[in-house]
Amino acid sequence: MNRPEPIPALTGLRIVGAVWVALFHFQSPLFDASNTLRLLEPVLAYGPKGVPLFFLLSGYIIWHNYGSARLLRSKREPVRFFWRRVARLWPVNVLALVLAVPVLWNAVIVHDYWGSAHPDWFSIGGFLGSAMMVQVLGSPYPMAVYPWNAPSWSLSAEMVAYLIFPVILFAALRIKAARLRWLCVPAALALTVVAYLPGFDFPYRWLLDLMLVFVAGVLLRVAGRPTFSPRMMAAVQIVAPVAVVLACYAAQPLLIMPFLALWVWSLAAPTGPVVALMTTKPMQIAGLSSYSLYMLHWVIFGYGYLLTENMVLVGVGRDLFVVGCLAAVAAASYLCWRFFETPARKVLNLAFERAWPGQGKQTASEEILEADAGVGAAAHAAAPVVERVGADA
């Protein structure tokens, strides 16, 4: 199987979404520590937009790597695709879930915080639902459910996106004609607007919204990587994130996702100042660690609160608490990606290849080392420390 050309800039972009969500959950300590940081409040208030940014990237990269009829030619390939997606998400999810137990035990048993919206979430059933990444699929309104590890609620939607991808693939392969591709970018931007139109509330809208954003990411890739002049692409790469920030300050949430989608599309270009930044070694490592950061930050912040709950933090102590929590999240994310997430994914992928060997010429080891999600190979070329194990959103 020919390995798709990697897009390393999109690996670096992943850390933007992860940090956006993490700082959203840490706003209060940040603003207590520094009034200057309150200038960021309008941007951090929209931190949940980091989640649909992940879905944009996921749709784009998954199509980039699996967007061919090969996935539909046998029973094995769709199963293999889904197994690889589970292997990517599940190990860190379980690790974060186990680490969350002491924090939640303190909140529920010591402080009697059962959650007014869903008082039976702290149960064996709730634990198993979180472990299997289906904890919010039974709720039309997921914010009424208290997952054991709060950020993990989005994994349920990821699982749905992976299940429906073969259907999306079957449909999208029909629009590969060049005369239709130019419509894909405006269609993708339109979907990101439709997904978050205000005034419409119905059961499972949260799931539909994320699926629309996922499809928007697919359409951006179906449209083809941008081929405009380097000067134009450089301008888009700079203007798009600036427009996102301005939309946050102007309290215009409906404009945030279209500009994020435009940013994703522009970073698939081969050159540009932001592409150069995103492909540096630090940004590649940060991007590859982003899933671990997303899954672990809430738990680590919880431990920080737990360790200091009987202290009065002011002045230097408060500043040390903030710096310590953020440093702990960064270190834990890197270590988790390097020494747990990567080896665990290799083991699970290898288990599948041995249980259901393919008919091609590749060995099981070569299957594991292939660019499972495209961008990891470029990261390996730029930085030897980065494993060639894939880096899809």
Side-chain angles (χ1 to χ4, degrees):
M1 181 176 64
N2 294 327
R3 181 176 298 150
E5 180 186 356
I7 312 177
L10 297 186
T11 301
L13 183 57
R14 289 170 52 198
I15 194 61
V16 174
V19 169
W20 203 3
V21 173
L23 294 183
F24 168 77
H25 289 145
F26 204 56
Q27 288 180 85
S28 181
L30 282 176
F31 299 153
D32 288 343
S34 172
N35 284 328
T36 302
L37 291 177
R38 287 190 176 274
L39 295 174
L40 298 176
E41 187 171 6
V43 176
L44 298 188
Y46 289 105
K49 294 295 184 183
V51 173
L53 174 58
F54 289 146
F55 278 79
L56 270 173
L57 287 167
S58 187
Y60 192 104
I61 294 298
I62 287 176
W63 178 271
H64 181 71
N65 289 280
Y66 297 97
S68 71
R70 181 180 187 273
L71 188 65
L72 305 175
R73 286 176 183 165
S74 69
K75 294 179 181 179
R76 178 181 182 271
E77 289 308 311
V79 177
R80 176 178 180 268
F81 163 79
F82 187 73
W83 179 275
R84 284 178 171 267
R85 309 280 59 77
V86 171
R88 163 135 182 77
L89 300 180
W90 187 69
V92 179
N93 174 60
V94 173
L95 175 65
L97 183 60
V98 172
L99 293 176
V101 171
V103 176
L104 293 176
W105 185 269
N106 179 71
V108 173
I109 303 302
V110 176
H111 296 285
D112 195 30
Y113 178 64
W114 287 89
S116 58
H118 197 76
D120 60 342
W121 65 275
F122 192 66
S123 63
I124 293 176
F127 183 90
L128 293 177
S130 291
M132 301 308 295
M133 300 184 290
V134 295
Q135 62 268 42
V136 298
L137 291 183
S139 173
Y141 304 97
M143 296 303 102
V145 177
Y146 288 69
W148 282 57
N149 178 34
S152 68
W153 73 269
S154 64
L155 300 188
S156 299
E158 285 274 7
M159 300 299 289
V160 174
Y162 299 151
L163 283 171
I164 68 172
F165 177 73
V167 178
I168 297 172
L169 175 64
F170 181 80
L173 284 175
R174 269 58 183 170
I175 59 173
K176 277 195 168 184
R179 65 180 181 274
L180 296 178
R181 285 186 181 181
W182 70 272
L183 292 171
C184 289
V185 173
L189 300 181
L191 281 181
T192 62
V193 173
V194 171
Y196 293 98
L197 283 174
F200 300 95
D201 190 19
F202 48 85
Y204 288 101
R205 178 178 175 175
W206 63 274
L207 183 58
L208 176 62
D209 290 347
L210 291 176
M211 293 307 100
L212 290 176
V213 173
F214 180 81
V215 172
V218 169
L219 288 175
L220 289 175
R221 183 61 190 91
V222 172
R225 297 176 67 176
T227 56
F228 297 113
S229 68
R231 182 174 297 180
M232 178 177 293
M233 293 317 303
V236 176
Q237 290 170 19
I238 295 172
V239 169
V242 170
V244 170
V245 172
L246 292 177
C248 292
Y249 278 98
Q252 297 295 324
L254 206 58
L255 299 178
I256 294 175
M257 288 311 303
F259 283 117
L260 284 176
L262 196 60
W263 198 22
V264 169
W265 185 65
S266 70
L267 290 182
T271 60
V274 183
V275 167
L277 171 65
M278 293 296 182
T279 53
T280 59
K281 179 177 177 178
M283 289 301 294
Q284 289 292 286
I285 293 175
L288 292 169
S289 305
S290 61
Y291 175 61
S292 290
L293 187 150
Y294 176 75
M295 292 301 296
L296 294 178
H297 75 271
W298 186 85
V299 174
I300 293 174
F301 291 156
Y303 276 105
Y305 296 136
L306 182 61
L307 293 172
T308 60
E309 65 179 346
N310 295 320
M311 303 179 187
V312 178
L313 297 176
V314 294
V316 175
R318 181 180 55 202
D319 296 343
L320 288 175
F321 169 76
V322 170
V323 173
C325 283
L326 296 178
V329 168
S333 301
Y334 172 78
L335 293 173
C336 180
W337 162 70
R338 192 81 172 86
F339 299 107
F340 179 76
E341 179 184 344
T342 295
R345 185 170 10 160
K346 283 184 177 180
V347 169
L348 290 175
N349 286 341
L350 186 58
F352 179 86
E353 301 302 335
R354 288 176 173 173
W356 195 345
Q359 301 301 315
K361 296 181 180 180
Q362 286 180 306
T363 65
S365 297
E366 289 171 336
E367 290 274 7
I368 299 308
L369 290 176
E370 76 178 11
D372 178 36
V375 292
H380 175 74
V385 72
V386 179
E387 299 281 355
R388 280 171 49 193
V389 293
D392 59 322

